[in-house]
Amino acid sequence: MNNQEIPPYLDRLNPEQQQAAMCIDGPVMIIAGAGSGKTRVLTFRIAHLLKQNVDAFNILALTFTNKAAKEMRLRIETVVGADAKNLWMGTFHSVFAKILRIEAERIGYPRDFTIYDTDDAKNLIKSIVKEMAHDDKLYKAGIIYNRISSAKNNLITSQDYGKSPELVEGDASSGRPEMAAIYKKYAERCFKAGAMDFDDLLVNTFLLLKNHADVLNKYQHKFKYIMVDEYQDTNLCQYMIIKRLAAVFRNICVVGDDSQSIYSFRGANIQNILNFSKDYPELNVFKLEHNYRSTSNIVDASSSIISKNKEKLDKKIFTNNEPGEKIKVFRAMTDNEEGRQVAQSIFEDKMQKQLPHSAFAILYRTNAQSRSFEEALRKMNIPYRIYGGLSFYQRKEIKDLISYLRLVVNQNDEEALKRIINYPARKIGNTTIDKLTVLANANDLTIWQVLERLHEFPSLGSSMSSLRDFHTMMRSFISMQEHKNAYEIAEYVAKQSTLLRSLHEDKTVEGVSKYENVIELLNAIKEFTEDDTNEQEKTLSIFLQDIALLTDADKDDGNGNDRVTMMTIHSSKGLEFKHVYVVGMEENLFPSQMALNSRQDLEEERRLFYVATTRAEEKLTLSFATSRFKYGNLIPCEPSRFIDEIDNRFLEMANFMSQPSQVNKKPDTDSGYGRGFGLNTGKPGIGRSQPVFTRNIPSSPVSADFKESDTSALQAGMNVEHQRFGQGEVINVEDNGENRKALIRFNEVGEKTLVLKFAKLRIL
């Protein structure tokens, strides 16, 4: 390998990247640290395969987003030419959907099956819960959907689920004994509607390969070279499919970073990458450890964070970039003040450094945290967008027209039919729709099949005429597929359904916006039909598949580019910004309270923090509040343990009083993370010599005999002591039942209102 001559087209890679790109035979694992040029290596590795006369049709490349696949394909084209169009490249879901359309008959599905998004799936679950007369407060659609999704990711079908005593008992103990029956009914209704949800695209591909040896053999010999990006985020189902497909030639290359495995809640299993060498003992391993993205302060600080994890692959990330600014840590008294501080910092940096708004990102652990930052940015006239908010294709008017088009392609699509059968209004109310559903289920038909045989169901009474008109209209749309392209059908449907006219008649600002959105959708379909660079079929079915499989990273909210980006840390993976603010750095928020039950959960939270810090190119700021409103109450907060896990030489406390240089606590060695908050440097016996950040700031020294008092008799005039705020006098006590509050004037930090059941006060 080392003696191979380096082809000129690989000159732009560093030596490690070149070796990884040129090793094309046998199993390969590329461990790619943050900012190490992973996409570039993948791109040139595929180009190198094509230059070695490997047929593009024999290469399968699975990427994290469709956008990434498209960008890679264009880059590969610049090296090898038009042959790149023949690559099988895309996300797991888009590639497997393509296979399933080809092989649909083998598993009893129509080729033009519908792909249900999360909303469709949850609406179907709601219908089933209602039909089965269950309590919808107990059997919430979101809970059931997640339970079914988790089962599918672990290859547990609806038939298997009901046969598992452990699962059935677990549901019974949670008060949902009918979960197995709902899952079974859900699977039956999806099949009957010719629809698959996102998880079905994976599970049905696995079952197709498992149950049909000839199909497995076909794709094993088709995909002689397989590449999988973000391998640390694969689940059991994805792992099993890839293992089967690669079994013949074993030319499998996986790329990933165990330090960025953050999707266990979706079923991702970090063991897939940690144990890859056990499946392939002859494995070649390449490590991309040179970070090109961030300053050395950010790179080294991030390394000091992730070094606290025990479950990890060995690597040493480095950079030749400038040291850059230290990581700033902001402390705020409340979450609203935190929002103001961050907005002010963005404004100052933008003005001083002449940066666009798009250079800034605010990352948080949960979407609920966005409010205070939105308000602060609005007050300062700083434009922003919330990434992962309502996307273009999730807007009501867009989903309405798309539902018409889905029904044109697949008449058994129950959710699409229910959505548009009375929109625009045509005198078909909910009572009639319920009757249709009952008739369909009682006669083992789809709702469309009931419409096809209306004369057999006189019980529909006065609605018969409206139902017949709807059926006739849809029939005219369906017949157009034989001689019209996707755009011509969509334009005709938008007009003849009167959907476009009803929106045009609404002259409110909102109505005009909705009309313009539908016109934009029609433009998108026209662009799709005229795109000569896209080799796939230009059918309506393929267009609908493409938009159904857009990932969060592929979606655009249409708000323009020069805006501050706000998003959850999970959504930020794969992105980078010049200035990053990681906010809400508090215990029980980040790390999440849900992650404190096991080492595995805590280590994933730490990996999430690592992902957040490595998004920053030039400047990283961390912030926390010492109190935060939760459920209407002001709750005291403690700074996150993760801040203290960063080596102190990389930190700058932006608005802190000087603190003692030592804290008389020992690191909690048993739990795998430092709990000294000021003492733990990762080196035994070494304390920090400069002012440090501790959890209890600002505060007076807490009394050695501090013990929480019973505050049921607390009243104005009493002197008290708090673990963080020190000593103070009670000004007023407000009796709100179990949420009693006290206004206390502390000597160090002034007046604070505390909820007594959380406050932990010592009465002096």
Side-chain angles (χ1 to χ4, degrees):
M1 177 64 62
N2 293 327
N3 297 324
Q4 275 187 270
E5 185 178 341
I6 307 297
Y9 54 85
L10 297 182
D11 282 349
R12 283 175 282 176
L13 304 184
N14 69 32
E16 292 76 19
Q17 293 172 333
Q18 288 172 343
Q19 296 303 314
M22 292 173 65
C23 184
I24 59 176
D25 296 318
V28 172
M29 180 164 67
I30 302 173
I31 303 169
S36 63
K38 172 194 67 171
T39 303
R40 176 183 288 247
V41 173
L42 264 175
T43 301
F44 280 99
R45 189 175 193 275
I46 295 171
H48 185 63
L49 279 167
L50 295 172
K51 286 284 191 179
Q52 300 303 304
N53 297 317
V54 174
D55 191 331
F57 287 102
N58 295 144
I59 298 173
L60 171 62
L62 298 165
T63 59
F64 191 59
T65 66
N66 292 302
K67 182 180 177 183
K70 187 174 183 180
E71 289 173 356
M72 283 174 60
R73 194 189 300 272
L74 290 173
R75 289 191 206 177
I76 295 165
E77 270 194 68
T78 64
V79 180
V80 301
D83 201 26
K85 295 181 189 293
N86 299 325
L87 293 163
W88 278 63
M89 181 185 288
T91 63
F92 275 93
H93 292 87
S94 63
V95 170
F96 292 170
K98 186 176 179 180
I99 291 174
L100 288 169
R101 291 202 188 281
I102 295 170
E103 311 293 343
E105 293 178 4
R106 306 299 292 267
I107 56 173
Y109 271 86
R111 282 198 60 171
D112 290 327
F113 61 80
T114 297
I115 299 173
Y116 277 175
D117 65 16
T118 305
D119 286 342
D120 294 321
K122 288 181 180 178
N123 286 337
L124 175 55
I125 289 168
K126 287 176 185 175
S127 297
I128 291 169
V129 168
K130 181 180 177 182
E131 291 163 23
M132 297 177 76
H134 296 318
D135 183 352
D136 59 4
K137 292 183 177 61
L138 184 60
Y139 289 94
K140 291 183 178 178
I143 292 173
I144 296 171
Y145 175 79
N146 290 335
R147 184 74 166 167
I148 292 173
S149 177
S150 178
K152 288 179 180 177
N153 286 332
N154 287 288
L155 296 176
I156 301 170
T157 65
S158 58
Q159 294 91 341
D160 296 333
Y161 192 99
K163 296 174 185 174
S164 167
E166 184 181 350
L167 293 172
V168 172
E169 288 169 15
D171 290 335
S173 64
S174 69
R176 300 184 187 91
E178 297 300 314
M179 187 73 78
I182 294 172
Y183 182 10
K184 186 171 184 292
K185 182 74 73 176
Y186 173 79
E188 290 170 352
R189 290 281 280 278
C190 283
F191 184 75
K192 187 175 168 185
M196 298 188 199
D197 64 23
F198 295 141
D199 297 310
D200 288 330
L201 295 174
L202 305 182
V203 174
N204 287 338
T205 301
F206 171 77
L207 294 174
L208 174 71
L209 300 177
K210 178 187 175 190
N211 298 331
H212 300 276
D214 58 326
V215 177
L216 174 62
N217 184 64
K218 171 183 172 181
Y219 288 101
Q220 283 177 332
H221 286 83
K222 178 177 181 60
F223 300 134
K224 295 178 181 177
Y225 292 87
I226 299 173
M227 270 166 283
V228 186
D229 192 12
E230 304 288 1
Y231 190 68
Q232 76 280 351
D233 293 326
T234 53
N235 59 35
L236 174 65
C237 189
Q238 292 164 326
Y239 164 79
M240 293 299 293
I241 293 170
I242 293 303
K243 189 174 180 182
R244 282 174 182 266
L245 288 175
V248 173
F249 293 101
R250 296 175 75 83
N251 293 326
I252 178 169
C253 171
V254 301
V255 185
D257 181 6
D258 57 298
S259 296
Q260 298 185 65
S261 177
I262 58 173
Y263 292 118
S264 67
F265 66 94
R266 292 184 188 169
N269 186 354
I270 191 175
Q271 298 304 321
N272 290 349
I273 193 168
L274 295 178
N275 296 329
F276 191 67
S277 59
K278 293 180 181 178
D279 289 332
Y280 302 96
E282 74 274 34
L283 182 67
N284 284 300
V285 179
F286 299 91
K287 297 179 182 180
L288 308 183
E289 299 170 305
H290 188 161
N291 181 302
Y292 292 93
R293 177 188 299 156
S294 308
T295 64
S296 64
N297 266 323
I298 293 172
V299 170
D300 293 342
S302 302
S303 295
S304 74
I305 294 163
I306 205 64
S307 67
K308 307 298 187 298
N309 274 7
K310 293 190 174 182
E311 260 196 324
K312 61 182 185 293
L313 297 170
D314 183 47
K315 57 184 174 297
K316 174 63 177 173
I317 307 300
F318 69 94
T319 186
N320 295 329
N321 293 342
E322 294 293 320
E325 297 184 42
K326 289 190 174 184
I327 298 169
K328 282 190 168 58
V329 182
F330 283 161
R331 177 200 63 205
M333 303 307 285
T334 66
D335 44 354
N336 285 333
E337 185 187 332
E338 183 185 27
R340 289 192 294 271
Q341 285 185 4
V342 168
Q344 182 65 36
S345 174
I346 290 173
F347 179 79
E348 290 173 0
D349 277 351
K350 174 181 165 51
M351 300 304 291
Q352 291 171 8
K353 301 178 182 179
Q354 296 298 298
L355 292 169
H357 293 113
S358 57
F360 300 90
I362 301 172
L363 308 183
Y364 33 74
R365 181 64 179 82
T366 65
N367 275 311
Q369 293 169 249
S370 69
R371 178 196 56 80
S372 61
F373 302 98
E374 285 190 75
E375 290 177 1
L377 292 172
R378 274 202 300 267
K379 285 176 182 174
M380 298 192 71
N381 292 318
I382 298 173
Y384 65 90
R385 71 164 184 167
I386 297 182
Y387 194 95
L390 188 66
S391 77
F392 178 79
Y393 289 105
Q394 292 298 316
R395 291 170 178 159
K396 179 188 180 301
E397 63 275 15
I398 300 302
K399 292 199 77 169
D400 289 336
L401 179 52
I402 285 173
S403 292
Y404 271 101
L405 302 180
R406 278 170 43 178
L407 197 59
V408 168
V409 170
N410 173 15
Q411 291 79 63
N412 292 327
D413 185 341
E414 182 179 322
E415 293 308 308
L417 189 150
K418 284 182 176 178
R419 185 180 185 99
I420 52 94
I421 194 170
N422 195 42
Y423 181 78
R426 48 178 68 91
K427 298 180 181 178
I428 302 173
N430 289 333
T431 302
T432 300
I433 295 171
D434 288 344
K435 282 183 182 178
L436 286 169
T437 304
V438 170
L439 287 169
N441 293 337
N443 293 276
D444 195 23
L445 301 171
T446 64
I447 296 177
W448 178 260
Q449 288 168 336
V450 172
L451 295 178
E452 293 265 72
R453 296 155 58 174
L454 278 174
H455 61 280
E456 298 178 21
F457 303 106
S459 61
L460 290 166
S462 60
S463 302
M464 195 74 79
S465 176
S466 298
L467 291 172
R468 190 175 290 112
D469 289 345
F470 172 74
H471 175 256
T472 302
M473 178 186 69
M474 288 306 307
R475 267 280 163 217
S476 71
F477 298 161
I478 293 163
S479 66
M480 294 180 68
Q481 292 185 96
E482 297 175 10
H483 54 278
K484 299 290 186 183
N485 66 30
Y487 172 71
E488 291 168 332
I489 297 170
E491 184 185 38
Y492 185 79
V493 168
K495 290 177 179 177
Q496 294 302 313
S497 67
T498 71
L499 184 149
L500 208 54
R501 186 173 68 200
S502 66
L503 291 175
H504 190 259
E505 289 171 352
D506 183 353
K507 299 302 181 184
T508 64
V509 173
E510 185 182 22
V512 171
S513 176
K514 288 181 176 181
Y515 177 79
E516 290 173 347
N517 286 339
V518 171
I519 295 299
E520 183 57 34
L521 173 62
L522 293 173
N523 291 340
I525 299 174
K526 188 171 182 63
E527 185 179 343
F528 166 80
T529 59
E530 296 177 353
D531 185 1
D532 293 332
T533 65
N534 194 334
E535 293 299 304
Q536 63 185 350
E537 295 177 88
K538 303 299 190 301
T539 64
L540 195 53
S541 176
I542 296 299
F543 176 80
L544 294 172
Q545 172 183 296
D546 286 355
I547 62 173
L549 294 177
L550 288 174
T551 66
D552 287 343
D554 295 318
K555 294 173 183 173
D556 182 11
D557 64 2
N559 284 337
N561 293 322
D562 191 25
R563 296 169 178 269
V564 173
T565 298
M566 296 172 58
M567 63 173 74
T568 64
I569 302 168
H570 281 101
S571 299
S572 74
K573 190 161 172 292
L575 303 176
E576 55 191 53
F577 304 89
K578 288 188 183 300
H579 289 216
V580 170
Y581 294 80
V582 186
V583 299
M585 293 296 302
E586 296 141 32
E587 284 293 296
N588 298 325
L589 185 54
F590 196 22
S592 165
Q593 189 171 11
M594 304 292 289
L596 303 179
N597 298 322
S598 70
R599 180 192 300 282
Q600 287 79 10
D601 290 343
L602 182 63
E603 291 203 351
E604 175 150 339
E605 285 289 289
R606 190 177 286 113
R607 292 194 294 269
L608 188 60
F609 184 40
Y610 176 80
V611 166
T613 60
T614 54
R615 299 311 93 201
E617 297 175 7
E618 296 177 3
K619 184 177 179 182
L620 175 63
T621 302
L622 311 177
S623 71
F624 68 92
T626 58
S627 58
R628 184 175 294 274
F629 274 98
K630 193 175 283 188
Y631 308 116
N633 298 316
L634 191 65
I635 307 299
C637 305
E638 298 181 358
S640 170
R641 68 190 73 193
F642 291 154
I643 298 178
D644 194 64
E645 291 182 353
I646 303 174
D647 193 308
N648 195 65
R649 61 197 168 99
F650 303 122
L651 298 179
E652 176 187 329
M653 304 305 170
N655 54 353
F656 289 80
M657 297 166 57
S658 181
Q659 298 299 318
S661 62
Q662 293 187 17
V663 178
N664 294 320
K665 284 186 179 180
K666 294 180 180 178
D668 182 353
T669 54
D670 181 59
S671 64
Y673 53 83
R675 297 302 301 272
F677 291 90
L679 190 61
N680 181 18
T681 62
K683 298 178 182 178
I686 299 178
R688 293 172 175 165
S689 58
Q690 60 192 70
V692 299
F693 169 70
T694 73
R695 292 178 82 175
N696 297 324
I697 56 175
S699 70
S700 304
V702 179
S703 303
D705 61 345
F706 183 91
K707 186 178 180 182
E708 183 181 354
S709 301
D710 177 3
T711 56
S712 58
L714 190 73
Q715 52 188 286
M718 287 185 171
N719 291 316
V720 295
E721 184 178 29
H722 186 272
Q723 284 182 297
R724 182 186 296 116
F725 305 135
Q727 295 184 6
E729 181 185 356
V730 179
I731 306 302
N732 182 48
V733 177
E734 184 181 334
D735 196 348
N736 290 330
E738 64 173 18
N739 290 326
R740 292 176 70 235
K741 299 176 184 177
L743 175 64
I744 303 171
R745 183 181 294 121
F746 290 101
N747 301 337
E748 292 281 337
V749 298
E751 292 185 358
K752 282 194 168 293
T753 300
L754 302 179
V755 180
L756 292 177
K757 67 181 178 181
F758 298 114
K760 296 184 180 178
L761 296 172
R762 172 176 177 255
I763 299 175
L764 300 176

